[in-house]
Amino acid sequence: MNFASSSTLLDATESALKVRTLRSWNSTQKEVVRARFAALHRDWSAEWLSVQEGAMTSADVEVVEPDGTVLLSDDSACWAFVGSSRRSAAGAGRDLLLSGSAGASSAALQAIANRMFSFDMASAVSALAPAVIAPAVVRAAWADWQQRIGALLPGFDLTPQQPKDASGARTASGAWSGALLARWAWCGGVWSLGLPFEAIAALLGSQGTTSRPSLPAAPPQEPKERLDRALAGQQISLRVLLEGAELNLGQLQELRLDDIVPLEHLLDSPALVVSSDGTPVCNGWLGQSEGHIAVELATMAGSAVPTTKAAGAVPNANTSKGRKS
């Protein structure tokens, strides 16, 4: 299968190099990621936090596709923390003035201080030695927390972010997917960690982007209904519409086996997926999976829709005439 822009014609070798693999993780792999971070939280809490009456001894970690609360990066793990509302008015005012790494770290430090000693980090420093010990312990606990996460994700930086407002529509995880979001309760607030595909692959022990590591069996956790169950007993037909190409009658008559007709559709632009009657269903990203042509389904929000010229595209979105893909 060959893809080409209107100005560039790709041969079969170039097409194979430029096409990108669709990425996803099954429920078993997500469970392994969840268990690793739950264990990290449990071990850190056992060392630094005293067990209080009614306090949770284990974290309820969830691992899901990104929802926009953390903006993802390809080469770093991006974290955000929303602290507890239990703090002084002066402390809350200071938090509103903080931004970037300092603000994110300040909120996390204050959350640990609240959990350990119930004091305000900003006003705790004093000339008296006993009053200085507590902030030092809080900073040591915070440094150890970062080191533990860093040890779990070697080679990936931890990038702090201000938490985003995700009260509206969910944000797509990216054209080529493969990223995950880990989220759990931490020191009275909510800790969120965006994980790029390569970080998850390293966490699971995978050295490649196409192979799937062999993982121990775990109880399945499937928040979404399986497609075969949702459509049981129904037959549906989908078409993928690409940006088309214009040929005059002479060019059409001259087409021969193995000729390639370049389309104007770009690999990094979404295609439109429609039902048999032409009703738009969703967007689709072109790629490959396990050696086969594949289309990743995605939401249509904010995506461009192919022009009417794409209506002449063949249903299987193959750009070559007579060539087996």
Side-chain angles (χ1 to χ4, degrees):
M1 179 176 182
N2 295 287
F3 297 100
S5 66
S6 57
S7 58
T8 304
L9 180 62
L10 304 181
D11 60 24
T13 301
E14 289 177 310
S15 297
L17 293 175
K18 290 182 177 295
V19 71
R20 302 174 67 177
T21 301
L22 303 181
R23 300 163 170 176
S24 64
W25 304 104
N26 59 40
S27 58
T28 300
Q29 292 167 320
K30 290 179 182 179
E31 170 60 20
V32 172
V33 175
R34 188 206 67 79
R36 296 293 298 276
F37 283 105
L40 179 147
H41 174 94
R42 182 185 63 249
D43 295 343
W44 179 84
S45 299
E47 181 169 342
W48 292 100
L49 304 180
S50 60
V51 179
Q52 300 176 355
E53 183 178 356
M56 295 180 58
T57 58
S58 61
D60 186 13
V61 181
E62 62 171 348
V63 175
V64 296
E65 278 72 28
D67 59 4
T69 56
V70 175
L71 299 180
L72 299 177
S73 171
D74 291 333
D75 53 5
S76 64
C78 301
W79 64 269
F81 174 71
V82 179
S84 171
S85 59
R86 180 174 64 87
R87 63 184 60 196
S88 65
R94 279 191 299 272
D95 286 346
L96 293 176
L97 298 177
L98 293 171
S99 62
S101 175
S105 298
S106 175
L109 284 167
Q110 183 58 57
I112 299 175
N114 288 338
R115 179 65 175 80
M116 283 184 167
F117 308 109
S118 298
F119 74 93
D120 186 357
M121 281 287 292
S123 59
V125 178
S126 165
L128 299 176
V132 181
I133 295 177
V137 173
V138 169
R139 293 189 181 93
W142 170 237
D144 184 54
W145 174 255
Q146 293 181 301
Q147 290 173 1
R148 288 174 187 258
I149 296 181
L152 201 60
L153 304 170
F156 293 89
D157 295 330
L158 290 176
T159 303
Q161 294 183 356
Q162 289 296 311
K164 309 299 178 182
D165 181 9
S167 58
R170 294 175 65 86
T171 302
S173 59
W176 303 101
S177 69
L180 291 176
L181 175 68
R183 183 191 294 114
W184 65 93
W186 183 82
C187 292
V190 177
W191 181 274
S192 300
L193 183 64
L195 301 169
F197 174 83
E198 287 76 10
I200 302 167
L203 184 64
L204 296 174
S206 172
Q207 299 301 318
T209 59
T210 57
S211 62
R212 298 293 175 86
S214 176
L215 300 174
Q221 295 185 359
E222 300 183 2
K224 300 177 183 178
E225 183 72 10
R226 284 179 47 176
L227 188 61
D228 58 346
R229 294 175 183 171
L231 301 178
Q234 302 183 42
Q235 296 292 327
I236 62 171
S237 177
L238 298 178
R239 293 186 298 156
V240 180
L241 304 185
L242 306 179
E243 292 286 355
E246 293 185 357
L247 300 176
N248 58 41
L249 184 58
Q251 292 172 319
L252 181 62
Q253 292 177 333
E254 291 296 324
L255 288 179
R256 297 293 183 269
L257 185 65
D258 289 336
D259 285 349
I260 297 175
V261 178
L263 302 183
E264 296 182 0
H265 198 96
L266 302 178
L267 272 178
D268 56 359
S269 297
L272 179 62
V273 181
V274 300
S275 61
S276 57
D277 62 358
T279 302
V281 175
C282 60
N283 281 335
W285 297 93
L286 306 177
Q288 63 178 356
S289 177
E290 299 179 356
H292 299 284
I293 299 170
V295 175
E296 179 185 13
L297 305 184
T299 57
M300 298 180 64
S303 299
V305 177
T307 62
T308 55
K309 193 164 51 177
V314 294
N316 62 1
N318 190 351
T319 62
S320 62
K321 179 178 181 297
R323 173 168 295 179
K324 184 177 180 180
S325 297

